[in-house]
Amino acid sequence: FIVANDLDSIPTTQELQQVFKEGKIDEKVKNLQTLIKMIINDENYPRLMMPVLQYLAPSEDHNLKRTLLLYWEVVEKLKPDGCVKDEILLSCNSLQKDLLHANEYIRGKTLILVSKLTYRPLLEPLMQAITQNLTHRHCYVRRHAVSCLFSILMACGNEMLSDRPVSYTHLRAHETREELVCRLLLEKK
């Protein structure tokens, strides 16, 4: 749904904000998809970050959460001076809740998103939630937690992980014979 620019008319910031605030879930998803299309096509909507955080991030709808993760991936995260935007720092609370969500799919998809982030101020508040996912009961979540920590290690160096003891034995204790992903990822280091 993202590649083609099939927008007949480009909605205004106020129109999108109104739908985010008062629209039904399917309208919110559709307008968030429209916003993602416009961002990908180099349109700029910096004033919509706060309404997205305020009205969409607290939702428990899975389709909206999935689309929201895509939004966080494509939205501009830095100010012109190179610092992380304040709104993005506020999104850490929402990401942290998703990293600890009851649904393993949302946890895994959030871990995939976090593994693509390379900004230290964003990652630091999420580290505890990421490491908690190493002991999750589903291999899908554990696999993405290991992958996320490996991405953080490669992007930020060892100092981000130095106070987080992640032992090989600890990971193997939660692994079954069919779930060799954790071991294989660690042995590549």
Side-chain angles (χ1 to χ4, degrees):
F1 77 91
I2 296 299
V3 177
N5 187 7
D6 57 354
L7 302 174
D8 296 330
S9 64
I10 297 176
T12 65
T13 301
Q14 291 79 17
E15 292 171 342
L16 288 170
Q17 188 172 353
Q18 188 68 25
V19 171
F20 290 162
K21 183 177 181 181
E22 299 174 356
K24 295 178 181 175
I25 292 292
D26 57 337
E27 293 171 339
K28 290 178 180 183
V29 170
K30 184 179 178 196
N31 279 279
L32 186 58
Q33 290 172 347
T34 301
L35 178 60
I36 293 168
K37 287 179 189 178
M38 292 184 298
I39 290 171
I40 288 175
N41 290 318
D42 288 333
E43 298 290 333
N44 194 7
Y45 288 87
R47 294 185 182 177
L48 284 175
M49 275 192 186
M50 284 308 291
V52 166
L53 273 171
Q54 187 176 7
Y55 304 120
L56 302 183
S59 174
E60 289 297 320
D61 182 73
H62 289 242
N63 196 20
L64 182 58
K65 284 245 183 242
R66 186 174 55 233
T67 310
L68 192 58
L69 289 172
L70 186 57
Y71 171 78
W72 291 128
E73 190 172 336
V74 300
V75 73
E76 183 62 40
K77 296 165 193 66
L78 299 178
K79 298 177 188 174
D81 65 355
C83 295
V84 177
K85 290 182 177 182
D86 297 332
E87 296 90 345
I88 296 297
L89 290 174
L90 289 173
S91 73
C92 284
N93 189 32
S94 174
L95 290 174
Q96 190 169 24
K97 286 180 184 176
D98 288 345
L99 285 169
L100 301 173
H101 198 275
N103 185 300
E104 62 273 357
Y105 175 79
I106 291 177
R107 280 187 186 219
K109 287 297 182 180
T110 306
L111 285 163
I112 291 169
L113 169 67
V114 171
S115 70
K116 296 176 184 177
L117 301 175
T118 58
Y119 310 113
R120 183 181 219 99
L122 270 173
L123 294 171
E124 286 174 348
L126 301 175
M127 289 303 295
Q128 183 177 2
I130 294 168
T131 54
Q132 284 178 358
N133 282 306
L134 291 171
T135 59
H136 194 271
R137 61 191 169 106
H138 288 285
C139 70
Y140 176 78
V141 176
R142 291 193 309 270
R143 176 179 60 216
H144 288 299
V146 170
S147 179
C148 183
L149 287 173
F150 182 74
S151 297
I152 291 170
L153 175 70
M154 298 309 287
C156 300
N158 204 19
E159 53 277 350
M160 284 287 286
L161 301 176
S162 62
D163 62 336
R164 308 268 189 259
V166 179
S167 77
Y168 180 74
T169 309
H170 177 75
L171 290 174
R172 289 290 308 272
H174 295 280
E175 181 179 57
T176 64
R177 191 170 212 189
E178 295 80 27
E179 302 165 352
L180 300 175
V181 175
C182 292
R183 182 167 14 126
L184 294 174
L185 281 173
L186 286 173
E187 288 175 356
K188 287 184 180 180
K189 283 170 67 175

